[in-house]
Amino acid sequence: MKGRFDGATALITGGAGGIGTGVALRLGREGAHVAVADLTVSQAEVVAARVRQEGGRASAHALDVTQAEDVQRVLGEVECLAGTVTLAVTCAGIDSQFAFLDLPPEEWQRTLAVNLQGTFLVMQGVARRLKAKGAPGHIVAVASAAAKRPNPTQAHYGASKAGVVNLVRSAGVALARDGIVVNAVCPGVVDTAMTQAIHMERSLLTHLSVEESLDRMIQAIPIGRIETVDDVAHVVAFLLSEEANYMVGQAVNVCGGLAFD
Ligand SMILES: NC(=O)c1ccc[n+]([C@@H]2O[C@H](COP(=O)([O-])OP(=O)(O)OC[C@H]3O[C@@H](n4cnc5c(N)ncnc54)[C@H](O)[C@@H]3O)[C@@H](O)[C@H]2O)c1
């Protein structure tokens, strides 16, 4: 069966994480060469191997998205191996929990560096190469419903993701006439290691157990269940496809009803 992304090359940053893995498997099944890039390259190798086991094509790359030279190196590596990156998904992200008055400036900077500047560096690097070749492409940033809601114990994270939403608007408009389609998804509470870590840290602040903390969050989701990585991957794949070509700089909520703007 012909896949939507046959012959295309996709870069997934944070590809070793929960959402990154879901997206990698999805794009591999739909015919793309998947370049799985992550700070943890051993885990990126595991994800790439899973894509290959399913009959897809994949490679693993060590990448720190906060380092501009590292982003350039990986884009060059992937281009030599599998052709120009025409599909990019920026999943690399970090989060932590701090009461607002205790949030250290270093943690603010670390979070903004990975979540916002890292997204910018990858987006700009991919777009420059596409523009130089006169090639069209699709870029999807993984933002968050946290971009659109108050986040009393994660002000830094919410601000970084709100920044991503605005970055996507600017990049989407800047690149629209070059045929480079830039959009974002805003997931809610996804069943990944990050969510487990959030509720472990929150339990220390709230004195609830990890299970109680996560359960309270799930009860607040209108759809009444936690989000799967496939819930996110379906929408990411759509935004990477030609079916989304008339969408410019949008931040699509995929969050079970947690956010509406
Ligand atoms: N889990 C959720 O509920 C949720 C909700 C909304 C948005 N998100 C966002 O989705 C994205 C993926 O989240 P996840 O739940 O899969 O988390 P995860 O922790 O499973 O994966 C994140 C990945 O990013 C990688 N990473 C961290 N810093 C990096 C860096 N400097 N360079 C390269 N890679 C780096 C990590 O090694 C990890 O593999 C993140 O941007 C996150 O903010 C997650």
Side-chain angles (χ1 to χ4, degrees):
M1 203 176 81
K2 202 168 153 34
R4 269 193 292 190
F5 305 121
D6 277 350
T9 298
L11 171 69
I12 306 175
T13 71
I19 293 174
T21 301
V23 172
L25 293 172
R26 178 64 187 253
L27 299 187
R29 285 175 202 138
E30 296 211 39
H33 173 100
V34 187
V36 184
D38 203 284
L39 207 51
T40 318
V41 71
S42 56
Q43 193 53 33
E45 298 276 7
V46 171
V47 175
R50 280 184 67 187
V51 174
R52 290 193 294 267
Q53 270 159 19
E54 291 193 355
R57 297 172 301 129
S59 51
H61 306 265
L63 170 66
D64 181 346
V65 294
T66 65
Q67 303 302 313
E69 318 79 56
D70 224 24
V71 172
Q72 292 314 317
R73 176 188 52 75
V74 168
L75 286 171
E77 249 173 54
V78 176
E79 189 162 322
C80 284
L81 190 71
T84 305
V85 171
T86 57
L87 309 173
V89 186
T90 62
C91 294
I94 55 171
D95 189 17
S96 56
Q97 305 295 309
F98 284 92
F100 182 77
L101 297 180
D102 297 331
L103 175 58
E106 302 75 31
E107 190 62 8
W108 171 276
Q109 274 166 6
R110 191 176 80 94
T111 304
L112 273 282
V114 177
N115 295 2
L116 182 53
Q117 184 176 308
T119 301
F120 161 69
L121 291 173
V122 172
M123 203 176 266
Q124 189 190 52
V126 169
R128 279 181 172 164
R129 282 172 185 262
L130 288 170
K131 173 93 175 163
K133 293 204 155 51
H138 292 76
I139 301 172
V140 176
V142 179
S144 172
K148 303 175 176 184
R149 293 161 53 88
N151 304 283
T153 60
Q154 42 179 173
H156 50 326
Y157 180 79
S160 73
K161 294 297 185 176
V164 169
V165 168
N166 195 270
L167 170 66
V168 161
R169 288 179 185 158
S170 300
V173 169
L175 300 168
R177 292 191 186 208
D178 296 309
I180 303 170
V181 180
V182 185
N183 290 291
V185 286
C186 295
V189 182
V190 191
D191 194 5
T192 70
M194 181 181 277
T195 296
Q196 283 301 326
I198 288 171
H199 289 280
M200 263 182 236
E201 288 184 35
R202 269 194 199 163
S203 70
L204 300 175
L205 295 175
T206 58
H207 306 295
L208 294 171
S209 70
V210 178
E211 294 71 28
E212 282 166 341
S213 173
L214 181 56
D215 198 49
R216 281 201 188 178
M217 186 73 230
I218 292 170
Q219 294 310 321
I221 306 171
I223 205 168
R225 67 165 174 84
I226 198 165
E227 184 166 355
T228 68
V229 296
D230 285 339
D231 290 323
V232 186
H234 294 318
V235 180
V236 169
F238 163 71
L239 291 173
L240 291 172
S241 77
E242 291 185 359
E243 289 156 14
N245 280 2
Y246 208 70
M247 296 181 69
V248 174
Q250 301 299 312
V252 180
N253 296 325
V254 191
C255 60
L258 276 176
F260 290 90
D261 299 339

